[in-house]
């Protein structure tokens, strides 16, 4: 059974940093691209970015709203994807979801339960 | 403001059919067959319901179907059941230049 478990959320002050982790199980992690999404309270879903598998260079892409502040990385030996968030702003407050990118196209077939990040002074 | 436009709410009675539209542009919905739909119950993670415009993942009831015409994609739910009440989001790939993924603002489905 595919499982994605996010961790690392919490309360952080504006301008500070936070790193989220997504621990995967039930599939060969290294074979898949992984993506992060977020959902601000009462709002819709927003794509944050993704990281390709090593077979495709392990490169990353980001939404304009986080580019230059957020960094996605992966440790295939541990089946973990990371979201490093720097220079956090109050508008980054959201539930952050880790997802697996389907191998067959641009859709997201498994989602974690999410972790809440609150940016507030 | 979301890149894709969905109605804020739709409703239907048990057993009826409802359709949720998702309007984009030729740069996203109209340009690629990579439209997907996600169901989200309150406090829960989204769940993939439709991908590649009209394909259903294993385990999703065949009451759920997807289609596309031009720049508008649609999700149709037939034989409405109480458990279908949820938020539904459409999503589209938006091209290799931006390597971006765009979402609709979500539609609240109420089963009367």
């Amino acid at each position: 059974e595919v499982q994605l478990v996010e961790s690392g959320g919490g309360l952080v002050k504006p301008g500070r940093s936070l790193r989220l982790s997504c621990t995967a199980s039930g599939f060969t992690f290294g074979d898949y691209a992984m993506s992060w999404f977020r959902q601000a309270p009462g709002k819709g879903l927003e794509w944050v970015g993704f990281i390709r598998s090593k077979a495709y260079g392990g490169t990353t892409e980001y939404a304009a709203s986080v580019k230059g502040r957020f960094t996605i990385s992966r440790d295939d030996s541990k089946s973990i994807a990371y979201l490093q968030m720097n220079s956090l702003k109050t508008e980054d407050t959201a539930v952050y979801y880790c997802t697996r990118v389907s191998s067959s196209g641009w859709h997201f077939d498994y989602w974690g339960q999410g972790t809440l990040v609150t940016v507030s002074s | 403001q979301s890149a894709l436009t969905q109605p804020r709410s739709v409703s239907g009675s048990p057993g009826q059919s409802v359709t949720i539209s998702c309007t984009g542009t030729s740069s996203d919905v109209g340009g690629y067959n990579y439209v997907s739909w996600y169901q989200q119950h309150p406090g829960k993670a989204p769940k993939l319901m439709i991908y590649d415009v009209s394909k259903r993942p294993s385990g999703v009831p065949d009451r759920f179907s997807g289609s596309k015409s031009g720049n508008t994609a649609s999700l149709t739910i037939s034989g409405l059941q109480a458990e279908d009440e949820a938020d539904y989001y459409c999503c589209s790939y938006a091209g290799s230049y931006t390597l971006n993924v765009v979402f609709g603002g979500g539609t609240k489905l109420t089963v009367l």
Side-chain angles (χ1 to χ4, degrees):
Chain A
E1 178 192 9
V2 172
Q3 285 196 315
L4 300 171
V5 179
E6 301 93 339
S7 60
L11 175 63
V12 61
K13 288 180 166 49
R16 297 288 183 90
S17 298
L18 198 64
R19 188 179 78 163
L20 305 183
S21 299
C22 170
T23 303
S25 61
F27 65 101
T28 304
F29 181 77
D31 289 348
Y32 289 84
M34 300 296 293
S35 190
W36 287 91
F37 290 81
R38 66 184 181 181
Q39 187 171 33
K43 301 296 184 182
L45 294 166
E46 179 187 13
W47 175 71
V48 171
F50 85 107
I51 184 166
R52 296 178 179 86
S53 65
K54 290 289 198 300
Y56 290 89
T59 51
T60 53
E61 305 295 341
Y62 301 95
S65 57
V66 306
K67 195 169 185 178
R69 299 189 299 124
F70 289 13
T71 302
I72 299 173
S73 60
R74 61 190 300 155
D75 185 337
D76 290 351
S77 69
K78 296 180 179 178
S79 296
I80 299 177
Y82 299 101
L83 178 64
Q84 176 69 43
M85 303 183 293
N86 298 331
S87 303
L88 282 162
K89 306 174 182 180
T90 55
E91 53 263 41
D92 295 319
T93 293
V95 174
Y96 284 74
Y97 294 101
C98 164
T99 75
R100 189 180 82 168
V101 183
S102 170
S103 59
S104 63
W106 274 95
H107 56 275
F108 310 94
D109 53 4
Y110 290 93
W111 295 63
Q113 85 287 352
T115 187
L116 176 63
V117 172
T118 302
V119 184
S120 174
S121 54
Chain B
Q1 186 172 349
S2 301
L4 305 180
T5 301
Q6 297 180 235
R8 296 202 63 163
S9 64
V10 297
S11 62
S13 299
Q16 289 185 332
S17 294
V18 295
T19 296
I20 300 172
S21 61
C22 170
T23 301
T25 69
S26 58
S27 296
D28 38 64
V29 173
Y32 307 93
N33 287 325
Y34 287 135
V35 176
S36 51
W37 290 89
Y38 301 85
Q39 176 193 65
Q40 186 179 35
H41 288 108
K44 301 294 186 181
K47 174 187 175 184
L48 177 67
M49 303 302 285
I50 295 288
Y51 67 97
D52 293 355
V53 176
S54 60
K55 298 177 182 176
R56 274 181 292 106
S58 174
V60 172
D62 59 7
R63 302 184 294 103
F64 291 83
S65 62
S67 62
K68 189 184 84 167
S69 177
N71 296 335
T72 298
S74 299
L75 172 71
T76 298
I77 309 170
S78 58
L80 269 178
Q81 299 182 4
E83 58 262 35
D84 298 334
E85 184 163 298
D87 292 324
Y88 291 84
Y89 293 90
C90 63
C91 173
S92 177
Y93 178 61
S96 60
Y97 179 69
T98 61
L99 280 172
N100 202 1
V101 171
V102 292
F103 275 91
T107 298
K108 169 65 177 177
L109 168 62
T110 300
V111 181
L112 301 170

